[in-house]
Amino acid sequence: MPPVISHRRLLQPRSLADALKMLRDEGPVVPMAGCTDLYVSLNFGTLADTRFLNLWRLDALRRIELRGDVLAIGALATHTDLIRSPLVGSRLPMLAAAAREVGGVQIQNRGTIGGNVANASPAGDTLPVLAAADASVVLRRADETRRVPFNGFYTGYRRTQRRPDELIVAFEIPRVRGRQWFRKVGTRAAQSISKVVMAGVSDPTSGTARVALGSVAPTVVRLPRTEAALGAGQAVDVAQRILIDEIVPIDDIRSTAEYRRRVAANLLARFWNDTHRR
Ligand SMILES: Cc1cc2nc3c(=O)[nH]c(=O)nc-3n(C[C@H](O)[C@H](O)[C@H](O)COP(=O)(O)OP(=O)(O)OC[C@H]3O[C@@H](n4cnc5c(N)ncnc54)[C@H](O)[C@@H]3O)c2cc1C
């Protein structure tokens, strides 16, 4: 039987302002977006006495728009929204590519980018993209809005800088110059969590590279030493050796640390060949 959330346990805000007041005054409550991650925990019985704040109707948080030269993506934008958005397609195609790899169509229709990020799994598919794009996380509580660099948002395994009375309301992505690249390696193409996931940006004009990896450390990571080696014109096999030294993957049920190291190094070579030479 699927778990049922009673009305007593579900707060139904009508606006963002309502939701923020409820978070401040009626806590502790857990924000609930597409519920694709939360339902798994509910099924396991780990959220038995939890009260939830249903964000799903807050359409203002679904917008994808340009603010000046910054791409702003509302936290409630679903993976399907990201795939279909012409703005994402033109400004951040690696995000559309990541969204296409999330679960199957049903999960893409319900799962949101805000949920993917807040859930804080190091295997989340959109996370390396936001890391490589130098995105900011826009956090709001009743009386304050603050912006946190995505690359400082995670403080440890499944820990973030979000305070209990804050919602993620959006992500802001400055213009990304250069060629974008995304790959997920999993057991199969659909419905599988990544063994390794990489997003990269190579800018042949400035000679710089940005590389972010998921599933190789407790949080998604950027690889500053690897990026510096590529940016300095070192051969890709030198950069691969640096990458292997820079990541700290673990053995788990999905893969071994050794496999992840090798795949990550192979992905780096593929990224550099695909984006740097042409
Ligand atoms: C069958 C299946 C396949 C999947 N495949 C993939 C996959 O391939 N790749 C992948 O990355 N993920 C996958 N997932 C995980 C999940 O679908 C994604 O992480 C999705 O983006 C979560 O979004 P959601 O809106 O459903 O989050 P929810 O389940 O609603 O919430 C997840 C967490 O985020 C918090 N939260 C949600 N929105 C906000 C907000 N705006 N502010 C603050 N906190 C918030 C919630 O409190 C909760 O802790 C899969 C899940 C399932 C069940």
Side-chain angles (χ1 to χ4, degrees):
M1 279 286 284
V4 175
I5 303 175
S6 76
H7 287 292
R8 261 185 314 112
R9 289 173 58 205
L10 191 61
L11 307 186
Q12 299 272 24
R14 296 198 173 161
S15 65
L16 177 58
D18 247 11
L20 296 171
K21 270 191 220 131
M22 287 172 175
L23 264 186
R24 182 189 61 195
D25 301 336
E26 303 190 36
V29 286
V30 170
M32 189 177 100
C35 221
T36 59
D37 275 316
L38 283 175
Y39 246 83
V40 176
S41 309
L42 276 162
N43 265 324
F44 278 117
T46 46
L47 295 171
D49 298 320
T50 308
R51 293 162 68 231
F52 297 95
L53 181 72
N54 184 11
L55 308 178
W56 190 251
R57 298 176 187 168
L58 306 184
D59 287 338
L61 296 187
R62 266 184 233 292
R63 284 192 206 118
I64 300 175
E65 60 194 2
L66 278 185
R67 295 182 194 151
D69 203 26
V70 171
L71 175 64
I73 299 178
L76 274 193
T78 64
H79 299 291
T80 300
D81 293 333
L82 300 175
I83 293 164
R84 291 184 179 164
S85 162
L87 265 180
V88 172
S90 61
R91 296 278 301 230
L92 204 60
M94 62 180 168
L95 183 59
R100 269 186 222 105
E101 300 277 336
V102 172
V105 171
Q106 299 93 330
I107 296 293
Q108 291 168 2
N109 285 342
R110 283 292 299 192
T112 63
I113 186 169
N116 202 224
V117 168
N119 192 52
S121 159
D125 284 331
T126 65
L127 279 51
V129 172
L130 295 169
D134 282 328
S136 296
V137 184
V138 186
L139 293 159
R140 190 172 299 173
R141 59 177 164 184
D143 55 358
E144 186 192 12
T145 301
R146 66 186 179 116
R147 287 170 172 76
V148 175
F150 185 81
N151 285 309
F153 183 62
Y154 295 107
T155 52
Y157 179 66
R158 305 204 82 151
R159 297 171 69 88
T160 76
Q161 289 214 30
R162 185 180 81 82
R163 299 169 187 143
D165 61 348
E166 285 178 323
L167 288 177
I168 299 176
V169 292
F171 302 93
E172 291 179 344
I173 300 113
R175 183 179 283 279
V176 175
R177 295 188 194 284
R179 296 185 185 135
Q180 302 178 22
W181 193 90
F182 175 86
R183 283 291 185 289
K184 169 179 178 173
V185 176
T187 307
R188 54 188 181 273
Q191 300 282 19
S192 95
I193 297 175
S194 72
K195 293 173 192 278
V196 179
V197 54
M198 180 185 283
V201 179
S202 145
D203 183 356
T205 314
S206 61
T208 56
R210 302 188 220 165
V211 182
L213 276 171
S215 290
V216 298
T219 66
V220 62
V221 284
R222 279 282 290 270
L223 305 179
R225 287 169 48 217
T226 305
E227 293 177 6
L230 292 173
Q234 304 246 37
V236 77
D237 59 323
V238 176
Q240 284 179 299
R241 284 199 290 278
I242 294 172
L243 175 146
I244 286 170
D245 192 46
E246 204 168 15
I247 59 178
V248 280
I250 54 165
D251 293 328
D252 67 12
I253 51 164
R254 290 199 298 278
S255 192
T256 64
E258 178 53 25
Y259 176 85
R260 288 185 160 113
R261 272 198 198 89
R262 284 194 194 183
V263 169
N266 290 345
L267 288 178
L268 185 76
R270 183 82 67 86
F271 155 64
W272 204 233
N273 285 335
D274 286 354
T275 59
H276 193 62
R277 286 204 180 140
R278 276 177 288 137

